[in-house]
C-alpha cells in the first residue's frame, strides 16, 4: 500500500512541472500586453511604462521570468493580479469556498439521488422504473447545463417565485462576517433569523444544475456495476440461505458494486469544476469559475495562470486521494505489487 | 441410413456487419437515436433549401415574434423571431450545420491524432510512450472547459479555434483507448506470427493491429461527437466560441438572458436543439457500444 502510494505520488511531480511550464508559456502567447490594456486611452508616459514593466518583471529575459515564476510557486507565490493588485493565491482562497460549497453540495445531491436510482433501476432490470430512470439519466447526461440553468431560473424563480435568481445571500436583508466561507455554516453561526434558509434558497438551483450531469453518470454507473455484481455467486448464496432481497441488494451487492462508483465519483471532480465555470456564470455565484472568466476578459495573465495552476493542482490531489480510497476499499489493488 | 438425407450446409454465419446490425436493431432507443440523428443531418445538409429565410436577415418590425401556436405569431415565421427579427427556424436549421460541422471535425481530427499518438505510444514504448502519456495526463488534469477557455484565450475565439480547443481537450481519451487496445493486441499470437514472418513495423501497426482496435474506437467516436457538440455550445454560450452573427446554438443562447422572462421561446429553442441532438447521438452511441462490444461500459 505504501509503495503504491509513493509511486502514485512520484508520478504527479513531472505533471506539476509540465503544468507550470505550459501555463507559463501559454499565457505568454496571449495576444494583448497587460500594460497596453491598462494604459487604455488616457496614455502613459514612456518612463511610467518602463517602470510598470520592471515592476511586473516583464523586462527580464523569458527564461528568467520562468525561473522566478517556478520559484515563486514553490514558495506559495502565485503572482499578483494585475487588476486588483492582490496576491492571486489570496484572491483564489477568498473565492474558493463559494465554489467548494457549490461543488460539494452538487456532489452530495448527485450521490444521494444517483446511487439509489441506480440500485432501483438494476433491481428492476428492464421494467418501467429501470427504463424511466435510465431515460432520465441519459437526458441528464446530455443536458447543456447552461440552458438547464436558464430554464430552472425561468420556472422556479420567475414563474413560481420560489428561489432567488443570483448570488449566495440576500445582502439587503442579511449581513454576516465570513467565518468559514461557507454560507450555510456562516449563516447559522450569525444567528440571524432566516439567514440559513436564505442561503439554502440561493444554493438550491445552482446545486441542481451543477449536480445534474454527475447524478446521471453515477446513476448509470451504479446500475451497470450493480447488474454485474447481482450475477455473482455470493449473491446467489446469500439469497439461497434465505436473506431478504432488500438485504442482499442493499448490503451484500451494493458494497461491492460501489467500488467502481467511487472511482467515477472521483473522476467527476474535474467535470464539476468545469461545470462550475458555467454554473457560476449563470447564477452570478462569486466563485473561482466566474473569476476565471472575468480574468480572461480583463487579460489578467497572473490571475489566469495562478488560477489554472491551482485548479489543476486540486484536481490532481483529489485524483490521488481517490486512488488511495480505491486502494482502501479494494484490497486487490492494495496488495497488488 | 436413409440416402435422401444429404448433408445440408449449416447456414453461413452472418457477416460482421449483419451481426452488428442485428444487435443494433434490437435496441429501440438506439434506432430512435439513429433516426433523429439522420433527420438532423438531413436538415443540416439541406439547410439552404429547407430554411424559409436567410438566417442572418433581420426583418424590421418583426422582432420577438412568438412561435406559431402562441397568439400574435406570424405564419411566415413558424418558430418566431429573435431580438433583432431573425427567423428562429432558419437559424436553428443553419445552427445544426454549425454544430454538426464542429462535432464531426473534432471527431475526425481526434480519431486521426488519437490513432497516430496511441499507436506510436504502444509500438515504440520507452520514452515516446512516457512522453505521450504524461502530456495526456496533463491535459486531463485541467478541467475540460477550463483548458478550452485557456486555449481560446490564447488563439482567439472563432469557429476554427473552437474545433482546435475542443479537440485538444478530448484527445486523451482517444489516445489512451488506442494505446490500451493496441497493447492488448500486441500480446496476441497473430501479432507474433506477423512479426516472425517479417512484416514491417509500420504495416504491422496499421494493417495488422489497427483494425482489431476499431470497435472501441468507433464507440468512443460516437460519444466523442456528442461531447464535442456540448463543449462547443458551452464555449459559444460564454462568448468564446463561434462569434455572432453565426447561428451557433450555444451563442444563440448567450444573449437571451434579458429576453428570457418576456420572450422565453427565444431561449427555449436553441437549448432544446442542443439537448435533442446530443441525446439522440448518445442513444445511438449506447446502442453502438452494446452491439459492437458489450464489455465496454460507459459511466
Amino acid at each position: 500500500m505504501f509503495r503504491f502510494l509513493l509511486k502514485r505520488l512520484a508520478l504527479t511531480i513531472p505533471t506539476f512541472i509540465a503544468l507550470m511550464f505550459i501555463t507559463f508559456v501559454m499565457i505568454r502567447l496571449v495576444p494583448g500586453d497587460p500594460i497596453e490594456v491598462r494604459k487604455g486611452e488616457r496614455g502613459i508616459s514612456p518612463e511610467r511604462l518602463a517602470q510598470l514593466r520592471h515592476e511586473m518583471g516583464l523586462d527580464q529575459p523569458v527564461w528568467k521570468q520562468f525561473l522566478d515564476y517556478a520559484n515563486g510557486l514553490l514558495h506559495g507565490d502565485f503572482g499578483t493580479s494585475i487588476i486588483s493588485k492582490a496576491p492571486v493565491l489570496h484572491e483564489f482562497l477568498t473565492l474558493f469556498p463559494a465554489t467548494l460549497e457549490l461543488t460539494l453540495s452538487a456532489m452530495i445531491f448527485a450521490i444521494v439521488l444517483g446511487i439509489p436510482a441506480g440500485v432501483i433501476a438494476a433491481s428492476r432490470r428492464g421494467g418501467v422504473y429501470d427504463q424511466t430512470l435510465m431515460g432520465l439519466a441519459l437526458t441528464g447526461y446530455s443536458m447543456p447545463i447552461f440552458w438547464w440553468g436558464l430554464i430552472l431560473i425561468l420556472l422556479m424563480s420567475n414563474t413560481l417565485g420560489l428561489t432567488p435568481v443570483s448570488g449566495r445571500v440576500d445582502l439587503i436583508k442579511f449581513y454576516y462576517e465570513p467565518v468559514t466561507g461557507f454560507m450555510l455554516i456562516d449563516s447559522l453561526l450569525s444567528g440571524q433569523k432566516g439567514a440559513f434558509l436564505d442561503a439554502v434558497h440561493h444554493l438550491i438551483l445552482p446545486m441542481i444544475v451543477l449536480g445534474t450531469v454527475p447524478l446521471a453518470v453515477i446513476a448509470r454507473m451504479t446500475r451497470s456495476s450493480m447488474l454485474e455484481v447481482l450475477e455473482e455467486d455470493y449473491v446467489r448464496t446469500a439469497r439461497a440461505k434465505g436473506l431478504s432481497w432488500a438485504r442482499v441488494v442493499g448490503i451484500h451487492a451494493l458494497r461491492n458494486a460501489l467500488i467502481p462508483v467511487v472511482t467515477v465519483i472521483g473522476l467527476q471532480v474535474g467535470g464539476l469544476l468545469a461545470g462550475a465555470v458555467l454554473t457560476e456564470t449563470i447564477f452570478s455565484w462569486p466563485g473561482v469559475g466566474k473569476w476565471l472568466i472575468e480574468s480572461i476578459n480583463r487579460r489578467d495573465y497572473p490571475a489566469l495562470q495562478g488560477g489554472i495552476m491551482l485548479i489543476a493542482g486540486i484536481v490532481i490531489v483529489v485524483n490521488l486521494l481517490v486512488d488511495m480510497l480505491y486502494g482502501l476499499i479494494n484490497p486487490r489493488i492494495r496488495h497488488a505489487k | 441410413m436413409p440416402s435422401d438425407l444429404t448433408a445440408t450446409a449449416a447456414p453461413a454465419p452472418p457477416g460482421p456487419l449483419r451481426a452488428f446490425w442485428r444487435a443494433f436493431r434490437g435496441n429501440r432507443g438506439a434506432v430512435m437515436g439513429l433516426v433523429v440523428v439522420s433527420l438532423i443531418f438531413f436538415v443540416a445538409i439541406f439547410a439552404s433549401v429547407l430554411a424559409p429565410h436567410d438566417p442572418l436577415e433581420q426583418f424590421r418590425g418583426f422582432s420577438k415574434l412568438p412561435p406559431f401556436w402562441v397568439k400574435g405569431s406570424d405564419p411566415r415565421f413558424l418558430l418566431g423571431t429573435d431580438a433583432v427579427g431573425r427567423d428562429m427556424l432558419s437559424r436553428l436549421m443553419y445552427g445544426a450545420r454549425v454544430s454538426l460541422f464542429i462535432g464531426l471535425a473534432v471527431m475526425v481530427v481526434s480519431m486521426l491524432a488519437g490513432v497516430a499518438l496511441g499507436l506510436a505510444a504502444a509500438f515504440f514504448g520507452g520514452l515516446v510512450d512516457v512522453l505521450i502519456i504524461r502530456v495526456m495526463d496533463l491535459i486531463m488534469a485541467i478541467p475540460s472547459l477550463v483548458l478550452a477557455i485557456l486555449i481560446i484565450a490564447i488563439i482567439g475565439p472563432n469557429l476554427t479555434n473552437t474545433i482546435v480547443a475542443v479537440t485538444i481537450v478530448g484527445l486523451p481519451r482517444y489516445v489512451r483507448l488506442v494505446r490500451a487496445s493496441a497493447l492488448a493486441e500486441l500480446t496476441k499470437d497473430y501479432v507474433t506470427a506477423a512479426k516472425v514472418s517479417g512484416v514491417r513495423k509500420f504495416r504491422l501497426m496499421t494493417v495488422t493491429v489497427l483494425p482489431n482496435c476499431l470497435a472501441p474506437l468507433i464507440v468512443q467516436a460516437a460519444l466523442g461527437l456528442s461531447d464535442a457538440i456540448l463543449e462547443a455550445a458551452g464555449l459559444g454560450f460564454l462568448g468564446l466560441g463561434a462569434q455572432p452573427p453565426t447561428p451557433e446554438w450555444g451563442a444563440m443562447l448567450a444573449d437571451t438572458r434579458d429576453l428570457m422572462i418576456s420572450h422565453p421561446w427565444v431561449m427555449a429553442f436553441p437549448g432544446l436543439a442542443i439537448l435533442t441532438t446530443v441525446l439522440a447521438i448518445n442513444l445511438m452511441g449506447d446502442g453502438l457500444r452494446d452491439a459492437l462490444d458489450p464489455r465496454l461500459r460507459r459511466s
Side-chain angles (χ1 to χ4, degrees), chain A residues 11-12 14-15 18-19 22-23 26-27 29-31 131 135 138-139 141-144 146-147 150-151 153-154 158 165 217 220-221 224-225 228 264 270-271 273-274 277-278 281-284 292-293 296-297 299 304 308 311-312 315-316, chain B residues 28 134-135 137-138 140-147 149-151 153-156 173 226-227 230-231 233-235 237-238 240 249-250 253 256-257 260-261 264 267-272 274-275 278-280 282-283 286 289 297-299:
Chain A
L11 273 178
T12 59
T15 312
L19 189 64
I22 287 180
T23 48
M26 277 177 132
I27 303 289
L29 296 174
V30 174
Q131 287 184 354
L138 194 67
T139 311
Y141 183 77
S142 312
M143 187 65 83
F146 41 97
W147 180 67
L150 294 177
I151 292 283
I153 291 177
L154 186 68
N158 292 110
V165 178
V217 173
R220 281 163 66 90
M221 192 67 208
S224 55
S225 165
E228 210 159 274
V264 164
L273 286 171
V277 174
L278 289 167
T281 306
I282 299 166
F283 290 97
S284 307
L292 219 52
I293 294 283
I296 285 189
N297 293 335
R299 303 201 186 292
L304 195 60
I308 286 176
I311 288 179
V315 174
I316 292 173
Chain B
R28 247 187 314 156
R134 285 291 100 195
V135 172
D137 278 358
L138 181 66
M140 299 226 295
I142 309 178
S144 59
L145 192 65
V146 176
L147 180 60
I149 288 169
L150 178 69
I151 297 170
I154 293 162
I155 58 183
R173 269 176 298 169
S226 59
D227 282 349
L230 261 186
E231 203 95 41
L235 283 175
F237 177 74
L238 289 172
L240 298 168
W249 291 336
L253 272 172
T256 55
R257 248 205 112 139
M260 198 170 87
I261 298 154
M267 179 264 282
F269 288 129
L272 213 54
I274 303 172
L275 177 60
V278 174
L279 183 58
N282 282 339
L283 270 172
D286 274 7
R289 181 199 58 209
R297 211 192 305 115
R298 182 178 56 144
S299 44

Side-chain angles (χ1 to χ4, degrees), chain B residues 113-124:
Chain B
V115 165
L117 290 172
L119 284 182
F123 274 82
F124 297 118

Side-chain angles (χ1 to χ4, degrees), chain A residues 105-326:
Chain A
S105 352
M107 201 72 239
I108 291 169
F109 166 79
I111 293 172
V112 165
L113 292 181
I115 292 180
V119 171
I120 292 171
S123 56
R124 298 267 188 284
R125 183 179 197 176
V128 183
Y129 283 109
D130 185 19
Q131 287 184 354
T132 313
L133 285 172
M134 286 306 111
L136 284 176
L138 194 67
T139 311
Y141 183 77
S142 312
M143 187 65 83
I145 61 167
F146 41 97
W147 180 67
W148 180 222
L150 294 177
I151 292 283
L152 282 180
I153 291 177
L154 186 68
L155 282 179
M156 307 299 280
S157 307
N158 292 110
T159 310
L160 300 174
L162 290 178
T163 53
V165 178
S166 67
R168 297 178 76 192
V169 66
D170 191 337
L171 290 171
I172 299 168
K173 279 196 217 149
F174 303 104
Y175 177 77
Y176 36 88
E177 285 296 323
V179 184
T180 57
F182 291 93
M183 281 296 169
L184 291 181
I185 300 174
D186 287 353
S187 60
L188 276 179
L189 289 179
S190 76
Q192 292 176 56
K193 220 175 151 195
F196 179 71
L197 266 183
D198 179 65
V200 170
H201 272 153
H202 277 85
L203 181 62
I204 207 151
L205 282 193
M207 175 190 83
I208 294 175
V209 167
L210 187 56
T212 299
V213 174
L215 167 59
V217 173
I218 291 173
R220 281 163 66 90
M221 192 67 208
T222 308
R223 174 181 180 271
S224 55
S225 165
M226 199 70 187
L227 283 179
E228 210 159 274
V229 169
L230 286 177
E231 307 262 300
E232 298 281 346
D233 288 341
Y234 61 78
V235 169
R236 200 171 313 137
T237 313
R239 278 297 279 163
K241 71 181 184 190
L243 294 182
S244 73
W245 179 240
R247 194 176 161 82
V248 173
V249 169
I251 297 184
H252 291 74
L254 187 60
R255 259 182 63 176
N256 288 291
L258 282 184
I259 293 174
V261 176
V262 170
T263 322
V264 164
I265 291 173
L267 290 175
Q268 290 304 305
V269 173
L272 273 175
L273 286 171
V277 174
L278 289 167
T279 312
E280 289 178 3
T281 306
I282 299 166
F283 290 97
S284 307
W285 189 265
V288 290
K290 187 162 160 281
W291 170 72
L292 219 52
I293 294 283
E294 286 165 359
S295 304
I296 285 189
N297 293 335
R298 296 178 193 142
R299 303 201 186 292
D300 193 344
Y301 298 178
L304 195 60
Q305 208 173 21
I308 286 176
M309 273 300 296
L310 285 163
I311 288 179
I314 290 169
V315 174
I316 292 173
V317 170
V318 170
N319 284 342
L320 194 69
L321 289 176
V322 171
D323 272 6
M324 284 164 56
L325 191 63
Y326 196 59

